[in-house]
């Protein structure tokens, strides 16, 4: 009788731990997950290089982009870009699995 009770207890513990792990993974990947990358764009005929910033929402919920800029490690803002030609107008709504670049 005690062996059956031990087996049921271990099985219940395994199911509970599995359920908690599934909940943690689901919580981690829900919501918006915006990944920002940047790089240089070189233009022909000696023009100044341009900075390109791309934001991609890999999450399941939409996210709003209200501004583009360069922020330093200490939290201060070096440059804030204005919306202009070549990119989406701000504020820009990134739906799930969408990207926008400037």
């Amino acid at each position: 009788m005690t062996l059956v009770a031990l087996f049921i207890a271990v099985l219940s513990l395994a199911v509970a731990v599995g359920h908690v792990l599934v909940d943690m993974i689901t919580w981690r990947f829900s919501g918006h997950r915006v990944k920002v990358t940047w790089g240089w764009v070189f233009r022909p005929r000696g023009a100044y290089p341009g900075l390109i910033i791309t934001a991609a929402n890999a999450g399941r919920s939409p996210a709003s982009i209200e501004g583009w800029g360069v922020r330093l490690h200490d939290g201060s803002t070096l440059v804030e870009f204005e919306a202009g030609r070549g990119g989406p107008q701000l504020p820009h709504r990134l739906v799930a699995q969408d990207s926008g670049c400037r």
Side-chain angles (χ1 to χ4, degrees):
M1 182 69 81
T2 57
L3 188 61
V4 173
L6 179 63
F7 176 75
I8 292 173
V10 170
L11 182 63
S12 299
L13 179 64
V15 169
V17 168
H19 182 70
V20 169
L21 287 175
V22 168
D23 282 346
M24 288 171 55
I25 292 169
T26 302
W27 175 80
R28 171 67 177 104
F29 291 109
S30 64
H32 59 270
R33 294 184 307 150
V34 178
K35 180 177 180 178
V36 178
T37 57
W38 65 277
W40 295 104
V41 175
F42 295 98
R43 299 184 180 130
R45 297 189 185 96
Y48 292 109
L51 178 66
I52 183 166
I53 302 171
T54 303
N57 183 8
R60 298 187 315 192
S61 297
S64 292
I65 297 177
E66 298 177 355
W68 299 100
V70 176
R71 182 169 291 168
L72 301 177
H73 291 290
D74 64 358
S76 62
T77 302
L78 181 64
V79 177
E80 285 189 16
F81 301 103
E82 294 180 7
R85 60 185 181 152
Q89 297 298 315
L90 299 177
H92 181 73
R93 189 79 165 157
L94 282 176
V95 296
Q97 307 297 320
D98 190 15
S99 65
C101 46
R102 171 76 182 108

